[in-house]
Structures are given as C-alpha cells and as structure tokens.
Amino acid sequence: LLPPNAFAHLRRQAAALAALRPRMNDCCRHHSPLPCARRAWLKGLSRFCREESSVKTGQHRCCQRGGAR
C-alpha cells in the first residue's frame, strides 16, 4: 500500500504490471506462449510509456530507450 499523496510513478508501474498479469496467464494457454508473451509485454510496456509521457515527471528508463514507442 502506498500513501495517497505521493508515489504516483510507483502506482503507474504497479498498474502496468497488474494489467499484464491476465494477458500473461492467457499466453500460458496459447498454442505458442512465447510469442504471445512477447506481444503482451510489448503492448503493456507501450501503454505504460504512453502514460508516463503524459505526466510531467521524467520517463522511466525503459521508455527512454524508445523501443516500446
């Protein structure tokens, strides 16, 4: 649990991981789980980076690399 007045960047990270979990679970039942997991990861990372770029804080180092955009 995080305090309600701070740590927004950690909340965004936690939300991105929480959204990724059901997609990864679906990939475990997929006929080709690794490509499915890779797509799920990239989609989740891309969404996280879009959200990170919409706030005035510095972007996470994963987003600065440019691979997820």
Side-chain angles (χ1 to χ4, degrees):
L1 296 172
L2 297 170
N5 297 337
F7 303 102
H9 65 289
L10 293 177
R11 276 195 198 79
R12 288 189 299 275
Q13 291 175 19
L17 290 174
L20 182 63
R21 186 176 183 158
R23 290 183 182 145
M24 288 298 207
N25 286 339
D26 289 343
C27 289
C28 290
R29 294 183 292 273
H30 200 268
H31 67 278
S32 53
L34 291 178
C36 176
R38 185 174 191 278
R39 284 189 305 270
W41 175 258
L42 290 175
K43 186 175 182 177
L45 186 58
S46 180
R47 181 177 178 184
F48 171 74
C49 290
R50 279 195 311 273
E51 291 173 5
E52 281 287 287
S53 67
S54 70
V55 295
K56 292 185 179 183
T57 60
Q59 284 195 335
H60 192 274
R61 65 183 174 271
C62 291
C63 300
Q64 292 173 349
R65 293 182 186 157
R69 288 184 234 155

